């Protein structure tokens, strides 16, 4: 046996032992020595198999071993020849072996021959004997049971949730995907469409109907785990006697102990990784969203090794919610550790998401469709530009005796210093290295001044809409919350900071209060409420930080999209009526900056200062790394006081951060290298001599970072980098207005839709081709028109198009459309076609026409009694909502049936009943 093959056998032996197998040679064969016995080089009818696996003393499977580097897709055919070649008298579970493994010790594949269509799948390690015995005793396999699931009980499920589970609307659905043995399935459901409820529904079916042993539910942050647990606790499966958690144990992990009886385990992927490695976890590591934290750092996690306490078969299914990019990079090995099907839930799939899930998008319900269906509300962008935000400012140093306040970011202690030179800063520096309280106040003052005059003109002004402000970091959030209370002239209860670093009040209780109580009116957060957290009453999002991740940006916008019953909204905002939209106030250009969703997944994000230090210490010597570290050290040096500079010099033998930076730059500077080479060896140095000098320069430059004391000191000082407080530069509002680009796009799409469908849709044919007075429309034709408008890819709702016209030319738009009244689209189309000069609710148009008709009737000598006029107005109101009226409606519509229905109407209008109805419909709608 060659050395590579021996090494492969050693690795395989180690993996088997770790999984609980007893290893034996053929000459020491004792198949009853343990529950699981693996016998090397066992003779079979067709030759020696590398390992024969015994469960409870009976042959059950085979392992074909290959040296590292061998591709295993064809090896299954080789191992397959052993599956039915058992000696006649050998104890066995079945005539053919059931479990087929191929392994190099580095890579392992497995198939269960009892599956409907046995397919090899990659494993991290080997299964435990107990697991294989359990599978052998089952009448069928999990993959077999997934092919015979009973029909879905659709009670209580929305259409999009039904499609997600069983398929529809052009997508196969989760359960058909699992029945095909697809290892990864992605479900896209817009924020607010009930992703977690859907997960509860399919989890219940996978456990009850498919016999899944355990499901892992991964969340982005720990507080979202609480929300998920609550969803499972409240979930009552249709047809079941009890709630989910009355039947099955659901565990939200707060420690490193898995409940062996839990059917659903909820945790963050950070905790799961630390458990697999046997390491402790800091609480804050579970509270910061991974959306941007892990995208902005070039972090590499040490590779996982097999952990016997958490075997690979611990979970049958893994649900990931929400699927951010770290799932496919930083944490990918955690998912691939388990022998489990992965189910992704996302509101905002990127191409990276689709790539990880093998393009297997089993359900798709985008935000635009959710708005069209009334599941979510649309939004408008209100852009605030201030001079400091756009242009930055200057903190001048030439005032004699004038000192500038400087805050330590770590302790928040303020001291006063004289600046050596003027400090010029740009807008992007705000709230990183410079705080300008005037800029924060200007943005907030603009919001206060415009909220009721422009944004929510129908409110009394007594109750500020529930507002969520996104800050850059905890220190920025602290500045904002104090400024909010000052600008609005309110107390502490009016505005709260909700971050995981809030030590005063419990964040969970604060989130609950923001959701269900009148106060606070404003919450300021960094990312604790940025993803997943369900706060339906929010009507305003203010971005005072930019976001580079498209997925994260969409998640943050999702905090405002949720619909809410009118009564629940009024409970927290008493002067609100109905939540029909939310306002995104962009104070930093977040709606205009390029997001990184289109970047390839293999592109390296910016390496953090801490990561650079560690990489240099580990031996990284490329020019990019050394140059980047030098730049960070030089930037750090500019922000330090003499005390911190002296501490670093003491630790490094007299070198300041600037000295360290210069040494790194000299080591990669060709001119400096040449000077050193000539000084050492003269102008005729050999290539070997040149290389030796350069290596020495590099080693000398990087040597200080070998010391952990130096690295830790630099990290600590970097974390407490000071923020200069600019109290001098005043700020002023440059502009504040709605973003008209979206409105223009919406109106253009609507006009194009009318043009494209003018000959196809009955309602448009009538409105386009018939002059007013002859445009007799039916309810069916109007319903068809509205349905086609809201279909993909346009998702045009009457309310959104109406709002767009109002933004572009408010003078020509009166009032707002009545929710869920299809006939409002008539006014919209007529306005778009130029048939009317003013866009106003259809009921107002009908009322005007009714009054004109009544005037003509009086002129024609037909006077109506008070009772007849009441009937006519009730009929007109019905026509306004439905475009037409039929005799049957008099018996079914309460406003008419309660008056006596068709009999009373005919009695009142005697012989002219049918004629009056026809005239009225023509006069009001045509």
């Amino acid at each position: 046996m060659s050395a590579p093959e021996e090494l492969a056998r050693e690795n395989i032996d180690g993996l088997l032992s770790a999984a609980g197998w007893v290893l034996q040679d053929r000459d020491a064969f004792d198949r009853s020595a343990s529950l699981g016995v693996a016998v090397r080089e066992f003779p079979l009818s067709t030759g020696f198999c590398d390992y024969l696996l015994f469960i409870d003393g009976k042959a059950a499977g085979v392992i074909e071993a290959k040296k590292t580097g061998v591709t295993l897709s064809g090896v299954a055919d080789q191992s397959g020849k052993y599956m039915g070649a058992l000696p006649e008298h050998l104890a066995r579970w079945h005539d053919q072996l059931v479990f087929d493994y191929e392994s190099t010790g580095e890579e392992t594949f497995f198939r269960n021959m009892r599956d409907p269509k046995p397919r090899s799948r990659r494993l991290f390690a080997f299964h435990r004997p107990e697991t294989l015995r359990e599978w052998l005793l089952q009448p069928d396999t999990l993959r077999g049971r997934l092919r015979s699931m009973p029909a879905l009980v659709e009670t209580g499920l929305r259409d999009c949730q039904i499609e997600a589970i069983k398929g529809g609307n052009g997508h196969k659905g989760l359960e058909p995907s699992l029945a095909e043995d697809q290892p990864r399935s992605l479900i896209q459901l817009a924020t607010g469409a009930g992703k977690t409820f859907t997960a509860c529904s399919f989890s219940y079916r996978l456990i009850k109907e498919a016999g899944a042993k355990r499901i892992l539910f991964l969340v982005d942050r720990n507080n979202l785990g609480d929300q998920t647990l609550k969803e499972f606790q409240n979930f009552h499966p249709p047809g079941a006697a009890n709630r989910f958690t009355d039947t099955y144990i659901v565990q939200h992990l707060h420690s490193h102990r898995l409940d062996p009886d839990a059917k659903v385990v909820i945790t963050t992927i950070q905790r799961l990784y630390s458990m697999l490695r046997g390491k402790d976890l800091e609480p804050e590591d579970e509270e910061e969203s991974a959306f941007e934290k892990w995208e902005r750092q070039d972090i590499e996690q040490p590779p996982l090794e097999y952990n016997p306490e958490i075997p690979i078969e611990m979970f049958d299914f893994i649900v990931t919610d929400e699927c951010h990019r770290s799932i496919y990079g930083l944490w990918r090995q955690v998912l691939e550790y388990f022998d489990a099907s992965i189910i992704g839930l996302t509101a905002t799939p990127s191409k990276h998401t689709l790539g990880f899930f093998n393009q297997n998008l089993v359900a798709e319900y985008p935000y635009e469709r959710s708005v069209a269906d009334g599941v979510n509300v649309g939004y408008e962008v209100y852009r605030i530009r201030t001079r400091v935000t756009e242009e930055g400012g200057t903190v001048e140093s030439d005032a004699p005796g004038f000192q500038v306040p400087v805050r330590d970011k770590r302790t928040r202690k303020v001291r006063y210093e004289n600046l050596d030179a003027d400090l010029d800063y740009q807008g992007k520096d705000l709230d990183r290295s410079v705080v300008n309280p005037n800029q924060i106040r200007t943005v907030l003052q603009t919001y206060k001044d415009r909220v009721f005059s422009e944004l929510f003109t129908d409110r009394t002004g007594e109750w500020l809409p529930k507002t969520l402000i996104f800050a850059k970091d905890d220190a920025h959030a602290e500045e904002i919350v104090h400024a909010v209370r000052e600008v609005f002239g309110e107390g502490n209860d009016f505005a709260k900071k909700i971050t995981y670093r809030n030590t005063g009040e419990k964040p969970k209780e604060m989130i609950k209060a923001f959701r269900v109580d009148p106060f606070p009116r404003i919450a300021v957060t960094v990312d604790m409420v940025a993803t997943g957290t369900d706060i339906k009453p929010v009507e305003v999002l203010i971005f005072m930080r930019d976001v580079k991740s498209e997925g994260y940006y969409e998640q943050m916008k999702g905090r405002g999209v949720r619909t809410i019953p009118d009564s629940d909204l009024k409970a927290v905002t008493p002067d609100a009526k109905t939540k029909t939209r939310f306002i995104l106030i962009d104070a930093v250009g977040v709606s205009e900056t390029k997001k990184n969703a289109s970047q390839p997944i293999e592109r390296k994000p910016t390496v953090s200062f801490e990561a650079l230090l560690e990489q240099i210490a580990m031996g990284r010597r490329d020019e990019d790394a050394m140059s980047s570290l030098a730049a960070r050290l030089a930037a750090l040096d500019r922000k330090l006081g003499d005390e911190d500079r002296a501490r670093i010099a003491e630790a490094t033998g007299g070198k300041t951060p600037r000295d360290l930076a210069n040494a790194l730059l000299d080591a990669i500077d060709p001119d400096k290298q040449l000077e050193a080479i000539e000084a050492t060896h003269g102008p005729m140095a050999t290539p070997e001599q040149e290389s030796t000098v350069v290596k020495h320069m590099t080693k000398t430059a990087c040597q200080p970072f070998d010391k952990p004391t130096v690295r830790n000191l630099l990290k600590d000082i970097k974390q407490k980098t000071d923020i200069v407080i600019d109290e001098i530069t005043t700020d002023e509002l440059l502009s504040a207005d709605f973003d008209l680009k979206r409105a223009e796009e919406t109106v253009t799409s609507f006009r194009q839709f009318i043009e494209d469908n003018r000959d196809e849709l009955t309602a448009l044919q009538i409105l386009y081709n018939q002059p007013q007075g002859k445009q007799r429309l039916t309810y069916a034709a109007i319903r068809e028109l509205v349905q086609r408008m809201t279909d993909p890819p346009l998702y045009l709702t009457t309310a959104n198009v109406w709002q767009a016209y109002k933004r572009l030319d408010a003078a020509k738009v009166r009032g707002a459309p009545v929710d869920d009244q299809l006939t409002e689209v008539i006014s919209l189309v007529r306005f778009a076609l130029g048939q009317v000069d003013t866009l106003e609710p259809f009921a107002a148009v009908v009322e005007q026409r009714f009054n004109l008709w009544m005037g003509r009737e009086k002129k024609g000598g037909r006077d109506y009694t008070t009772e007849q006029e009441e009937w006519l107005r009730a009929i007109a109101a019905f026509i306004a909502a439905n475009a037409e009226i039929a005799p049957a409606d008099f018996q079914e519509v309460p406003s008419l049936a309660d008056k006596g229905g068709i009999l009373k109407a005919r009695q009142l209008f005697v012989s002219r009943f049918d004629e009056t109805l026809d005239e009225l419909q023509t006069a009001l709608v045509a």
Side-chain angles (χ1 to χ4, degrees):
M1 190 182 299
S2 67
E5 289 173 333
E6 288 181 1
L7 179 60
R9 295 290 183 95
E10 289 177 9
N11 290 338
I12 293 170
D13 285 356
L15 288 171
L16 285 169
S17 295
W21 293 85
V22 170
L23 288 148
Q24 298 176 350
D25 292 325
R26 175 65 183 87
D27 55 6
F29 169 46
D30 179 1
R31 60 189 175 85
S32 301
S34 178
L35 173 64
V37 175
V39 184
R40 305 181 188 92
E41 299 295 334
F42 198 96
L44 300 175
S45 302
T46 53
F48 288 83
C49 70
D50 293 322
Y51 297 83
L52 186 63
L53 302 178
F54 289 87
I55 305 289
D56 256 354
K58 294 182 283 187
V62 66
I63 301 174
E64 180 68 17
K66 293 296 178 183
K67 64 183 180 181
T68 301
V70 172
T71 54
L72 296 176
S73 61
V75 178
D77 295 333
Q78 186 177 342
S79 58
K81 70 182 182 181
Y82 300 125
M83 302 301 286
L86 301 178
E88 183 179 352
H89 302 293
L90 183 68
R92 69 198 73 188
W93 282 89
H94 295 282
D95 289 339
Q96 283 201 331
L97 296 175
V98 178
F99 304 118
D100 173 22
Y101 293 90
E102 296 85 41
S103 181
T104 66
E106 300 291 340
E107 183 179 41
T108 301
F109 276 81
F110 164 78
R111 61 176 168 165
N112 186 338
M113 301 305 293
R114 296 175 64 210
D115 282 340
K117 291 186 178 180
R119 181 190 304 164
S120 296
R121 62 182 185 266
R122 180 180 277 105
L123 299 180
F124 185 87
F126 292 99
H127 301 105
R128 294 185 305 173
E130 294 90 340
T131 301
L132 297 188
R133 182 179 183 277
E134 184 181 338
W135 290 352
L136 286 165
L137 293 174
Q138 292 175 355
D140 51 9
T141 68
L142 173 62
R143 283 158 180 77
R145 295 190 292 271
L146 287 169
R147 290 192 166 217
S148 56
M149 297 279 281
L152 174 68
V153 179
E154 299 177 3
T155 306
L157 291 171
R158 295 172 177 165
D159 289 346
C160 61
Q161 295 166 342
I162 295 169
E163 291 171 8
I165 296 172
K166 77 172 191 178
N169 203 25
H171 293 279
K172 71 174 69 169
L174 174 63
E175 289 187 357
S177 176
L178 295 175
E180 293 174 3
D181 197 14
Q182 293 293 330
R184 298 175 184 175
S185 306
L186 179 63
I187 296 172
Q188 181 202 353
L189 285 176
T191 298
K195 292 197 302 295
T196 311
F197 186 86
T198 305
C200 292
S201 300
F202 68 64
S203 295
Y204 176 75
R205 286 173 57 79
L206 290 175
I207 295 168
K208 181 177 185 292
E209 309 296 354
K213 182 178 181 181
R214 192 177 290 109
I215 296 174
L216 174 65
F217 200 108
L218 293 173
V219 293
D220 182 43
R221 297 192 317 284
N222 195 41
N223 80 304
L224 297 184
D226 295 331
Q227 191 168 297
T228 302
L229 175 62
K230 186 176 180 181
E231 192 89 41
F232 273 101
Q233 290 170 336
N234 292 333
F235 179 66
H236 196 147
N242 300 307
R243 296 183 186 276
F244 190 101
T245 48
D246 294 332
T247 307
Y248 303 117
I249 294 174
V250 178
Q251 180 186 19
H252 181 198
L253 278 177
H254 293 288
S255 68
H256 278 14
R257 182 187 173 275
L258 278 165
D259 185 339
D261 296 320
K263 285 294 186 181
V264 176
V265 176
I266 303 167
T267 186
T268 62
I269 203 164
Q270 299 96 303
R271 176 169 294 279
L272 193 59
Y273 174 79
S274 68
M275 289 173 64
L276 288 169
R277 295 198 68 228
K279 304 290 184 182
D280 292 331
L281 184 72
E282 294 298 326
E284 58 264 26
D285 288 340
E286 287 194 285
E287 293 299 354
E288 188 172 359
S289 172
F291 265 95
E292 279 203 320
K293 178 179 180 182
W294 304 116
E295 289 186 12
R296 65 176 182 257
Q297 298 182 24
D298 188 21
I299 299 173
E300 291 186 7
Q301 295 285 21
L304 290 173
E305 296 180 357
Y306 183 78
N307 184 339
E309 299 297 318
I310 308 175
I312 63 170
E313 61 268 38
M314 179 64 74
F315 304 103
D316 287 328
F317 298 94
I318 299 175
V319 181
T320 63
D321 178 36
E322 169 76 44
C323 307
H324 46 72
R325 244 175 70 177
S326 67
I327 290 292
Y328 331 123
L330 184 70
W331 302 117
R332 182 177 187 136
Q333 58 175 323
V334 179
L335 299 181
E336 295 179 346
Y337 176 90
F338 296 101
D339 180 25
S341 300
I342 304 174
I343 303 167
L345 301 176
T346 183
T348 52
S350 66
K351 68 177 184 180
H352 316 117
T353 315
L354 290 168
F356 178 79
F357 284 92
N358 304 326
Q359 309 295 323
N360 188 29
L361 184 63
V362 301
E364 186 176 19
Y365 188 69
Y367 169 66
E368 293 83 1
R369 185 176 154 202
S370 74
V371 174
D373 288 350
V375 172
N376 285 323
V377 297
Y379 71 97
E380 294 184 87
V381 176
Y382 191 81
R383 185 72 166 92
I384 295 178
R385 290 180 171 86
T386 77
R387 187 167 301 284
V388 171
T389 312
E390 299 288 306
E391 302 171 6
T394 300
V395 185
E396 297 180 351
S397 63
D398 57 358
F402 185 79
Q403 293 186 316
V404 173
V406 178
R407 175 180 292 125
D408 186 313
K409 282 182 72 175
R410 183 180 54 185
T411 65
R412 294 193 59 78
K413 181 180 179 180
V414 176
R415 65 182 187 276
Y416 293 86
E417 293 183 357
N418 288 313
L419 292 180
D420 297 332
D422 290 354
L423 174 63
D424 294 322
Y425 61 90
Q426 298 178 344
K428 66 181 181 180
D429 299 319
L430 282 170
D431 311 301
R432 297 293 191 200
S433 58
V434 177
V435 168
N436 185 324
N438 294 318
Q439 178 263 345
I440 295 174
R441 280 194 290 265
T442 300
V443 171
L444 295 172
Q445 187 66 50
T446 302
Y447 174 46
K448 180 186 177 185
D449 293 344
R450 308 293 181 91
V451 62
F452 296 117
S453 62
E454 293 187 28
L455 307 183
F456 294 87
T457 56
D458 59 337
R459 303 288 172 88
T460 64
E462 184 179 353
W463 294 92
L464 186 77
K466 285 276 186 174
T467 301
L468 183 61
I469 301 177
F470 294 118
K472 293 178 181 177
D473 55 27
D474 192 75
H476 187 209
E478 189 75 13
E479 301 291 342
I480 292 172
V481 77
H482 288 296
V484 166
R485 294 166 180 170
E486 176 188 326
V487 167
F488 283 87
E490 297 287 350
N492 288 2
D493 289 345
F494 183 79
K496 297 283 187 179
K497 182 183 75 169
I498 304 179
T499 69
Y500 67 87
R501 291 186 180 179
N502 194 319
T503 56
E505 300 178 62
K506 293 181 179 179
K508 293 175 186 176
E509 293 178 3
M510 295 169 69
I511 290 172
K512 182 180 179 182
F514 188 50
R515 180 188 297 124
V516 301
D517 295 337
F519 291 96
R521 300 310 301 169
I522 293 179
V524 185
T525 191
V526 179
D527 58 15
M528 192 167 189
V529 194
T531 65
T533 305
D534 185 5
I535 305 179
K536 294 179 180 179
V538 168
E539 295 183 274
V540 178
L541 302 179
I542 302 180
F543 279 81
M544 296 185 73
R545 60 170 292 193
D546 198 0
V547 183
K548 299 303 182 185
S549 163
E550 181 70 31
Y552 195 33
Y553 177 51
E554 292 299 326
Q555 280 290 316
M556 293 166 84
K557 286 197 299 186
R559 298 318 96 215
V561 304
R562 310 289 181 114
T563 55
I564 181 173
D566 291 354
S567 57
D568 292 350
L569 178 62
K570 290 177 182 178
V572 296
T573 307
D575 62 351
K577 297 177 182 176
T578 301
K579 182 177 177 181
T580 59
R581 57 171 183 150
F582 74 94
I583 303 293
L584 189 160
I585 297 180
D586 181 1
V588 293
V590 66
S591 61
E592 300 162 358
T593 55
K594 183 180 179 182
K595 303 294 182 284
N596 66 7
S598 61
Q599 298 292 343
I601 191 167
E602 64 274 6
R603 174 180 177 270
K604 280 195 171 186
T606 302
V607 185
S608 70
F609 178 73
E610 293 82 356
L612 276 172
L613 284 174
E614 294 297 327
Q615 290 170 9
I616 293 294
M618 287 188 284
R620 184 174 179 181
R621 295 294 184 266
D622 59 281
E623 289 190 10
D624 285 347
M626 294 173 67
S627 175
S628 295
L629 182 56
R632 310 291 177 82
L633 289 167
L636 176 62
D637 189 84
R638 288 193 295 272
K639 299 175 183 177
L640 295 183
D642 292 339
E643 182 182 347
D644 284 331
R645 234 183 240 111
R647 291 172 63 200
I648 294 171
E650 183 181 352
T652 59
K655 294 182 174 65
T656 66
R658 185 170 294 281
D659 296 330
L660 297 171
N662 286 333
L664 289 166
L665 293 174
D666 288 349
I668 59 176
D669 185 335
D671 293 333
K672 296 291 184 181
Q673 291 172 354
L674 183 59
E675 287 178 16
I677 291 166
E678 291 184 349
T680 307
H681 298 289
M684 302 300 290
T686 65
E688 289 77 15
Q689 290 172 329
E690 291 179 357
S691 176
T692 300
V693 171
V694 172
K695 285 181 179 177
H696 178 72
M697 292 177 70
T698 302
K699 179 180 178 181
T700 303
C702 295
Q703 205 164 24
F705 310 109
D706 290 344
K707 296 181 179 179
T709 53
V710 172
R711 296 197 304 272
N712 292 333
L713 178 60
L714 288 169
K715 291 176 189 176
D716 289 344
I717 291 175
K718 176 74 166 58
Q719 286 176 352
K720 70 147 201 177
T721 300
D722 298 326
I723 299 179
V724 174
I725 303 173
D726 178 10
E727 297 178 327
I728 310 302
T729 306
T730 58
D731 199 9
E732 61 179 306
L733 181 67
L734 296 180
S735 65
D737 207 345
F738 285 101
D739 181 359
L740 299 184
K741 183 179 177 182
R742 283 171 58 87
E744 290 166 354
E745 291 173 350
T746 300
V747 167
T748 300
S749 295
F750 180 59
R751 287 173 175 161
Q752 189 62 49
F753 167 80
I754 293 173
E755 181 63 29
D756 292 344
N757 293 275
R758 58 184 293 182
D759 297 324
E760 184 178 345
L761 297 175
T762 304
L764 290 182
Q765 290 175 5
I766 295 170
L767 291 167
Y768 229 115
N769 301 317
Q770 297 295 327
Q772 285 211 63
K774 297 187 180 297
Q775 296 176 345
R776 290 295 295 269
L777 291 158
T778 65
Y779 185 78
I782 295 169
R783 184 175 56 196
E784 178 191 31
L785 169 60
V786 171
Q787 181 61 55
R788 288 289 292 275
M789 282 172 57
T790 57
D791 279 347
L794 296 179
Y795 302 107
L796 292 169
T797 66
T798 300
N800 283 351
V801 177
W802 196 292
Q803 191 69 46
Y805 273 117
K806 184 177 181 180
R807 291 288 165 239
L808 295 177
D809 195 352
K812 293 185 178 180
V813 181
R814 297 176 188 164
V818 176
D819 288 342
D820 301 325
Q821 187 163 299
L822 299 185
T823 50
E824 299 289 19
V825 79
I826 300 173
S827 293
L828 208 53
V829 174
R830 284 174 174 165
F831 182 71
L833 294 177
Q835 295 178 358
V836 293
D837 296 327
T838 303
L839 176 59
E840 55 187 332
F842 191 64
V845 175
V846 167
E847 185 176 1
Q848 294 166 12
R849 290 186 168 196
F850 178 79
N851 291 333
L852 288 172
W853 180 78
M854 287 291 289
R856 290 196 300 270
E857 288 291 280
K858 285 185 179 181
K859 277 189 179 181
R862 279 191 288 273
D863 288 324
Y864 296 99
T865 66
T866 301
E867 186 179 12
Q868 286 176 322
E869 187 169 334
E870 286 179 3
W871 266 90
L872 290 172
R873 290 192 180 277
I875 293 168
F878 184 83
I879 292 173
N882 299 276
E884 60 180 344
I885 192 167
D889 295 322
F890 285 79
Q891 300 301 106
E892 298 171 2
V893 178
S895 61
L896 301 174
D898 292 348
K899 288 178 176 292
I902 190 70
L903 295 176
K904 181 65 175 178
R906 288 191 182 280
Q907 177 186 337
L908 275 176
F909 295 98
V910 200
S911 60
R912 293 200 76 253
F913 175 72
D914 293 327
E915 186 180 349
T916 301
L917 280 189
D918 187 63
E919 289 177 2
L920 203 52
Q921 287 185 84
T922 300
L924 301 184
V925 180

